[in-house]
Amino acid sequence: MKVFDNTTKNIFLASWVSINQSETSEDRGTKLSRPVSKPHWNILQPLKQRVDSIQVRDRQLAHRLCKLIPSQCPFERDVKLFGKTLFHIPPMCKLNPLYEEVVGLRFRALCYLADECGEDVSQYC
């Protein structure tokens, strides 16, 4: 569950409320109805749930996950020519629809290695 999705609706609702002395309490109640959003089916939701449900209970699996999933976005680059930066390619990992789930899986693997196995995970940071 994302906190941002739940708070923005309340913030926008609260920021658009105007209080006029001429309005009665009945009028105010009818004008502040929440918009009804259509339910949509996310095609990646089953895959997201599958990745979230992976439990790390094996030392070898945890090591593999920490090696395969990078700690930082590998696509972020500075393109330089003759020592001068021409342009910067921003990290595009957040465009990946499974980004949060994969990063969470890596975090669970790191926590398993550190907490359960008592290993030093500084090599993966």
Side-chain angles (χ1 to χ4, degrees):
M1 181 172 143
K2 297 178 185 174
V3 176
F4 181 76
D5 293 339
N6 294 329
T7 57
T8 55
K9 294 175 187 171
N10 294 333
I11 291 171
F12 289 136
L13 179 65
S15 66
W16 289 101
V17 173
S18 65
I19 300 174
N20 293 333
Q21 296 296 331
S22 62
E23 292 180 351
T24 62
S25 61
E26 296 86 22
D27 292 340
R28 232 181 271 142
T30 58
K31 290 183 180 180
L32 294 178
S33 63
R34 292 187 178 192
V36 178
S37 62
K38 295 180 182 179
H40 63 283
W41 188 70
N42 188 353
I43 193 165
L44 293 175
Q45 191 63 29
L47 185 58
K48 288 180 178 184
Q49 290 174 351
R50 179 79 183 232
V51 172
D52 276 338
S53 68
I54 296 174
Q55 294 183 359
V56 182
R57 298 284 176 229
D58 182 31
R59 183 179 297 211
Q60 291 178 346
L61 175 65
H63 280 291
R64 280 191 210 118
L65 288 172
C66 291
K67 287 179 185 175
L68 289 174
I69 303 170
S71 61
Q72 295 177 347
C73 186
F75 302 112
E76 183 178 18
R77 298 274 188 265
D78 284 331
V79 179
K80 296 183 178 186
L81 183 65
F82 302 117
K84 293 188 177 185
T85 303
L86 295 179
F87 57 92
H88 175 76
I89 300 173
M92 293 183 280
C93 290
K94 292 194 177 183
L95 297 177
N96 181 355
L98 298 175
Y99 175 76
E100 291 181 19
E101 288 76 14
V102 172
V103 169
L105 179 61
R106 183 179 193 277
F107 181 72
R108 289 193 304 272
L110 284 172
C111 288
Y112 175 77
L113 288 174
D115 297 339
E116 303 292 325
C117 301
E119 292 187 19
D120 182 26
V121 293
S122 61
Q123 64 183 348
Y124 297 120
C125 296

